[in-house]
Amino acid sequence: MENQVFVMDHPLIQHKLTHLRKKETGAKEFRELVSEIATLMCYEATRDLPLEETEIETPMGKAVTKVIAGRKLAFVPILRAGLGMVEGVLTLIPAAKVGHIGLYRDHQTLQPVEYYHKLPQDIESREVIVLDPMLATGGSAVDAIDIIKRSHPKAIKFMCIIAAPEGIAALTKAHPDVQVYCAAVDERLNEIGYIVPGLGDAGDRIFGTL
Ligand code: PRP
Ligand code: URA
């Protein structure tokens, strides 16, 4: 299947993203914005969930209406920064399960190092949405999806807030079956692998570890 990259240009997402990028935005507001953007992105990323008809009774009589057809979801944040998106997506889909993948980038090599993973046991019957605010070189996303694929979920989507062109290229090459959702594709990576203009280090800004 061909990769599909969706850039979500909804005005509410773009407005919140501007505040998220500002260097004077403190940790509390940063966390709130990440969560709100995740909710709005999740609304768009689940647009293709299948519906089925059901018969109900309103105070006025019988009606045939629609509900989501049994497809089950799991969210998998990449630690640490992906954690900031979990509450926002669970606002929309509280019944989803949540797995975790722990990866950090080695600052010298920029290669991801895995330190933890725990996925839902029934992941084979679920569609997975991977969460991480930043797609920079793409190394973390590619490795996280490699790990998830070993458990054979039904399908995988990747949701980030800011992507670098380099990260999109790496992810779509390694996993052409994964749909990528982002709020912005920025100019480039700098010499130490940070997205420019980006927003800095997402994990540090969420958890105040700057
Ligand atoms: C950041 C970010 C991604 C990764 C992206 O995490 O949250 O996981 O970098 O970079 P890549 O596309 O080049 O792999 P980081 O490694 O800083 O860990 P942290 O979330 O624990 O701070
Ligand atoms: N990780 C971040 O948090 N920010 C970047 O710009 C790149 C990787």
Side-chain angles (χ1 to χ4, degrees):
M1 197 215 291
E2 278 303 297
N3 244 119
Q4 295 178 66
V5 179
F6 301 93
V7 183
M8 297 183 180
D9 57 1
H10 191 288
L12 287 174
I13 296 177
Q14 294 304 313
H15 180 86
K16 289 175 191 296
L17 178 55
T18 295
H19 289 294
L20 192 70
R21 289 181 187 274
K22 287 182 182 169
K23 65 179 180 191
E24 63 268 27
T25 299
K28 177 177 180 288
E29 192 189 353
F30 192 91
R31 275 195 296 274
E32 288 166 359
L33 286 164
V34 167
S35 192
E36 289 166 8
I37 292 170
T39 304
L40 294 168
M41 292 185 74
C42 182
Y43 177 77
E44 280 295 319
T46 50
R47 183 175 280 283
D48 61 353
L49 283 179
L51 291 169
E52 65 188 9
E53 290 192 336
T54 184
E55 191 175 292
I56 58 161
E57 238 176 290
T58 78
M60 310 304 292
K62 284 193 193 324
V64 177
T65 55
K66 290 176 180 161
V67 289
I68 290 172
R71 181 159 336 156
K72 298 194 284 185
L73 282 178
F75 294 111
V76 179
I78 302 177
L79 308 182
R80 293 175 298 165
L83 286 176
M85 300 171 78
V86 174
E87 198 183 316
V89 295
L90 288 178
T91 303
L92 285 189
I93 309 179
K97 289 196 176 175
V98 181
H100 295 87
I101 293 187
L103 292 173
Y104 69 87
R105 292 200 312 177
D106 180 289
H107 284 294
Q108 303 301 324
T109 65
L110 296 184
Q111 292 305 305
V113 180
E114 184 193 341
Y115 57 89
Y116 181 76
H117 75 255
K118 177 113 185 157
L119 299 172
Q121 277 187 342
D122 62 352
I123 197 164
E124 280 188 25
S125 64
R126 291 179 183 266
E127 177 177 319
V128 169
I129 302 184
V130 182
L131 307 172
D132 192 328
M134 308 304 275
L135 178 66
T137 65
S140 304
V142 169
D143 277 19
I145 293 169
D146 281 341
I147 294 165
I148 294 166
K149 279 188 173 174
R150 284 187 228 136
S151 303
H152 308 292
K154 282 192 159 162
I156 302 176
K157 291 175 178 171
F158 181 82
M159 205 168 102
C160 62
I161 297 179
I162 301 181
E166 295 90 333
I168 290 181
L171 180 52
T172 54
K173 183 164 181 239
H175 295 294
D177 54 321
V178 171
Q179 293 180 336
V180 179
Y181 295 85
C182 61
V185 180
D186 275 9
E187 278 165 44
R188 62 183 171 89
L189 294 178
N190 70 9
E191 58 289 347
I192 55 166
Y194 275 77
I195 300 176
V196 180
L199 50 70
D201 189 302
D204 283 345
R205 293 194 68 180
I206 289 170
F207 296 108
T209 47
L210 281 169

